[in-house]
């Protein structure tokens, strides 16, 4: 069975490409996913993608993926800075999660400097626009291939 990875995106990321290209780039979420599919195909990995604006649906997606995913590339959007529920969900599953952000959150408003999920993630890739996802997926595939635990 092929290795499967979940690409999980939180609130407002469905609007990528429509506004604030100076902050988030001009690529749409579909553009990013198409690129990731190609990258995954080259590595012999299969991707599933979920985007939700609902905190509970993101928690459900994390719970569900423990049955099939080798890892998760997760951009929790603004919930990164507020959600104990997402932190607990990541902590509750035995699946490595890479926190991913388009923007360099540390270089932005102070309320974006804190992430509640970082401490339960494998690591963070931020500040490279759509390439943050590419980097996160590459690092996660390497982590999984090396047989490491979270
Ligand atoms: O940099 C990131 O990837 C963020 O996770 C994006 C979130 C933000 O709340 C985080 O602090 C950092 C916001 C995504 C909003 O996306 C938009 C897309 C189009 C137009 C406006 C916002």
């Amino acid at each position: 069975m092929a290795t499967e990875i979940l690409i999980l995106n939180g609130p407002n990321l469905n609007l990528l490409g429509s506004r604030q290209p100076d902050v988030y780039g001009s690529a749409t979420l579909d553009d990013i996913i198409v690129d990731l599919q190609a990258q995954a195909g080259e590595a012999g990995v299969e991707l599933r993608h979920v985007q939700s604006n609902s905190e509970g649906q993101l928690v459900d997606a994390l719970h569900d993926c423990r049955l099939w995913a080798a890892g998760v590339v997760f951009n929790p959007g603004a919930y990164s800075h507020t959600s104990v529920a997402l932190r607990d969900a990541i902590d509750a599953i035995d699946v490595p999660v890479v926190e991913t952000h388009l923007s360099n959150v540390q270089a932005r408003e102070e309320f974006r400097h804190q992430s509640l999920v970082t401490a339960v993630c494998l690591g963070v890739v931020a500040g490279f626009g759509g390439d943050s996802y590419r980097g996160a997926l590459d690092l996660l595939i390497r982590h999984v291939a090396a047989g490491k635990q979270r």
Side-chain angles (χ1 to χ4, degrees):
M1 209 172 72
T3 298
E4 289 189 280
I5 286 176
L6 173 64
I7 310 295
L8 185 58
N9 279 289
N12 299 308
L13 289 158
N14 54 310
L15 299 180
L16 276 183
S18 64
R19 287 182 54 220
Q20 294 187 253
D22 47 321
V23 182
Y24 298 120
S26 54
T28 66
L29 190 55
D30 279 352
D31 294 334
I32 290 170
I33 298 302
V34 166
D35 281 355
L36 293 179
Q37 296 281 11
Q39 180 186 349
E42 285 167 17
V45 166
E46 290 181 10
L47 299 185
R48 297 191 202 181
H49 176 231
V50 173
Q51 186 278 328
S52 177
N53 296 318
S54 153
E55 189 177 21
Q57 285 184 7
L58 295 167
V59 169
D60 288 342
L62 288 164
H63 290 180
D64 175 75
C65 86
R66 76 189 192 282
L67 303 172
W68 57 267
V72 184
V73 171
F74 186 20
N75 185 347
Y79 287 141
S80 314
H81 317 301
T82 63
S83 179
V84 176
L86 287 176
R87 179 201 160 101
D88 286 350
I90 294 167
D91 203 25
I93 62 173
D94 201 17
V95 179
V97 177
V98 180
E99 181 181 355
T100 306
H101 298 284
L102 295 148
S103 62
N104 178 356
V105 283
Q106 297 302 323
R108 299 184 63 196
E109 303 96 324
E110 201 170 336
F111 66 85
R112 296 186 204 275
H113 295 182
Q114 173 179 256
S115 166
L116 297 187
V117 304
T118 301
V120 290
C121 287
L122 189 59
V124 185
V125 181
F128 297 93
D131 281 347
S132 292
Y133 290 86
R134 170 169 275 278
L137 180 59
D138 183 51
L139 292 165
L140 185 55
I141 289 170
R142 289 161 63 98
H143 176 86
V144 170
K148 296 175 190 159
Q149 298 297 312
R150 61 178 289 223

